[in-house]
Amino acid sequence: MSLLLVHKRDGVTTLTMNAPERLNGWTMPMMDALKEAFSVAARDDETEVLVLTGADPYYCAGVNLAATLKLAHPRKLHAMIVQHNQALFDAFLDFPKPILVAVNGPAIGASVTSATLCDGIIASEKATFSTPFGWLKIPPEGCSSVQFARLMGERNAARMLFKEGWKPTAAEALEAGLVQWLTPHKDLMQKAHQIAREW
C-alpha cells in the first residue's frame, strides 16, 4: 500500500497521506514520501496548485517520534531532530506553487504548524487542531510562534501553543482565523478542488 496517493486533475495535484492505521503520522518513510512528492510537483508543468489531505479518519497525528528516532547521545539526537524538522518545514516554505491543505479530521503538532505555512486551509466539520507543545514542555516549532499570532492574534496563539493547550474545533478555528474555509465533511475534497481551480 502506498503511503502517499497522488491524484492529478485540471491542474490540481492532490496528495493524500495514506496510513490511516497510524493516523497518517509522519514516520520517516512518510516524511520522505512527502518531500519527494513535493519535489516532483514543483517541477511538474501540469501541477498548478497542490492540495494536501489525509485518509480518514485523521488528517495527521503529527511526527511519530517512536518511528523516526533511534536512541543516541542527547546532542546527536537533538541535531537529528533539528535537521529533520528543518527539512520538513523547508519543503513547505520553499514550494514554488500554491499549497492548500484540506483537513479532513484531527490534526496534531507539526501537521498543524506546517498547514499554517501554506496558502490556505479548508477544514471539514470533523477537523480539530491541536498543538500540545505546552503540555509536552517543548518550544513551538515550524514558525508557529510567529505565524499563529499573524493568523489568530496573540491571545489565541498563546491559548494553542502554551499551557492551556486549546484544541479548537473546525468552527472555532474558522472564527479565530486559523482556517479560511469550513465545509461539510462529505464535500471537503470537492470544495478544495474548487478553491484550487479558482486560485
Side-chain angles (χ1 to χ4, degrees):
M1 182 176 72
S2 176
L3 283 176
L4 200 61
L5 305 179
V6 181
H7 179 261
K8 294 167 65 172
R9 179 165 65 96
D10 301 331
V12 180
T13 294
T14 301
L15 304 179
T16 303
M17 296 176 284
N18 187 42
E21 72 288 350
R22 290 184 172 232
L23 310 179
N24 303 319
W26 283 349
T27 60
M28 193 64 69
M30 178 68 84
M31 289 190 284
D32 287 343
L34 281 169
K35 285 183 282 188
E36 175 61 22
F38 274 43
S39 178
V40 170
R43 301 189 305 269
D44 178 22
D45 292 338
E46 294 180 9
T47 300
E48 298 170 11
V49 180
L50 191 67
V51 174
L52 180 62
T53 191
D56 285 342
Y58 267 60
Y59 169 66
C60 177
V63 176
N64 185 331
L65 292 175
T68 56
L69 299 178
K70 298 177 181 178
L71 289 176
H73 187 279
R75 283 185 184 173
K76 187 175 182 181
L77 200 56
H78 179 265
M80 189 186 309
I81 292 170
V82 169
Q83 177 186 352
H84 287 303
N85 266 11
Q86 176 142 1
L88 178 64
F89 290 115
D90 280 352
F92 287 85
L93 289 166
D94 294 340
F95 192 72
K97 303 172 185 181
I99 307 176
L100 298 174
V101 179
V103 182
N104 56 295
I108 301 172
S111 71
V112 179
T113 56
S114 61
T116 66
L117 301 176
C118 298
D119 296 277
I121 302 174
I122 308 109
S124 150
E125 62 197 349
K126 296 185 178 182
T128 58
F129 300 85
S130 175
T131 50
F133 306 125
W135 295 350
L136 297 173
K137 301 191 184 305
I138 57 176
E141 64 186 5
C143 309
S144 56
S145 59
V146 173
Q147 192 68 354
F148 276 33
R150 284 178 178 165
L151 292 170
M152 300 185 286
E154 296 285 352
R155 179 176 175 274
N156 283 328
R159 290 183 67 196
M160 282 193 73
L161 293 173
F162 303 122
K163 188 176 180 181
E164 181 180 343
W166 180 45
K167 184 173 78 172
T169 64
E172 290 169 334
L174 178 69
E175 183 178 0
L178 181 65
V179 309
Q180 289 71 51
W181 299 273
L182 175 59
T183 188
H185 186 72
K186 65 182 178 61
D187 300 331
L188 177 65
M189 296 317 297
Q190 180 182 345
K191 181 69 172 177
H193 192 270
Q194 176 193 336
I195 293 167
R197 289 302 303 135
E198 294 171 351
W199 201 263

